[in-house]
Amino acid sequence: MAKANNEIFELAIRANEPILYIAGDVDREMYNRTATALAFLTAKGSPDLQVIIDSNGGSVSDGLDIYDLIRLYRGKTVGLVISRAASMGAIILQACGVRKCALHAEILIHHISRRNVSLDTLTSDDEHLKLVNEMKVDQQRQYDILVKKTGQTEERIIETCKLDKFMSAEEAKAFGL
């Protein structure tokens, strides 16, 4: 699968229209592919880049790392949501200089969750508190990104995250996503 993605990326580069696909689960593999692609493009002079996003989200730490990679890229970045940008996919979109959404695409922002939490973590007061504090820090990072990029207040961001519902392209545009 990675080879097919690299072949598609190489074709886009040869056509002088760099495209970065952020598709599927946000994880360390996606981070590595993104870092490699952006390093390659930086070596080519940081040409303008289209970032196509179709993701249900995933790892908060990997998503924030991808956000930083795209945000720090020297060339112009245009993000385009195809189908959906949920959770960390929506945060990654915020790294792009220009953000667009296909007419029938959806965007979701919500409060973070952790999938692989052990019973030991939940039953140990110290470990439970440590997990809660780590999650609060990560959530605040997302609030800060969304406040800055959307122009919404932190209170409005928090209330919208609580709704945990997809926004249409029109709703997302009105919200500033």
Side-chain angles (χ1 to χ4, degrees), residues 150-169:
T150 66
Q152 301 292 337
T153 65
E154 185 170 315
E155 293 75 25
R156 177 114 192 263
I157 297 292
I158 291 168
E159 290 305 312
T160 304
C161 286
K162 285 179 184 178
L163 296 175
D164 198 15
K165 82 173 196 62
F166 280 95
M167 292 182 215
S168 68

Side-chain angles (χ1 to χ4, degrees), residues 34-45:
T34 301
T36 300
L38 293 179
F40 177 80
L41 287 171
T42 299
K44 296 286 186 183

Side-chain angles (χ1 to χ4, degrees), residues 27-150:
D27 56 15
R28 189 48 39 173
E29 181 181 340
M30 180 183 284
Y31 167 82
N32 289 334
R33 285 193 321 261
T34 301
T36 300
L38 293 179
F40 177 80
L41 287 171
T42 299
K44 296 286 186 183
S46 302
D48 294 350
L49 174 66
Q50 184 171 31
V51 180
I52 297 178
I53 301 172
D54 181 6
S55 175
N56 285 322
S59 165
V60 173
S61 59
D62 293 330
L64 289 172
D65 290 345
I66 293 168
Y67 168 87
D68 283 338
L69 286 173
I70 294 170
R71 183 181 59 83
L72 295 171
Y73 179 70
R74 290 186 182 134
K76 178 182 172 186
T77 54
V78 176
L80 173 61
V81 177
I82 301 293
S83 186
R84 63 177 38 176
S87 192
M88 287 313 300
I91 297 297
I92 291 168
L93 173 65
Q94 304 312 304
C96 298
V98 176
R99 296 162 290 155
K100 298 180 177 184
C101 187
L103 181 61
H104 298 103
E106 300 175 307
I107 297 180
L108 170 71
I109 59 172
H110 66 101
H111 288 130
I112 66 171
S113 62
R114 292 269 173 102
R115 289 186 182 143
N116 296 320
V117 178
S118 72
L119 182 59
D120 294 333
T121 299
L122 294 175
T123 57
S124 165
D125 288 343
D126 290 340
E127 289 300 311
H128 185 259
L129 184 59
K130 180 180 171 186
L131 175 66
V132 168
N133 288 332
E134 288 171 1
M135 290 179 72
K136 284 181 178 180
V137 167
D138 285 342
Q139 187 65 63
Q140 188 61 53
R141 288 179 176 146
Q142 291 185 40
Y143 290 156
D144 293 344
I145 290 167
L146 292 168
V147 165
K148 181 179 179 183
K149 295 302 278 192
T150 66

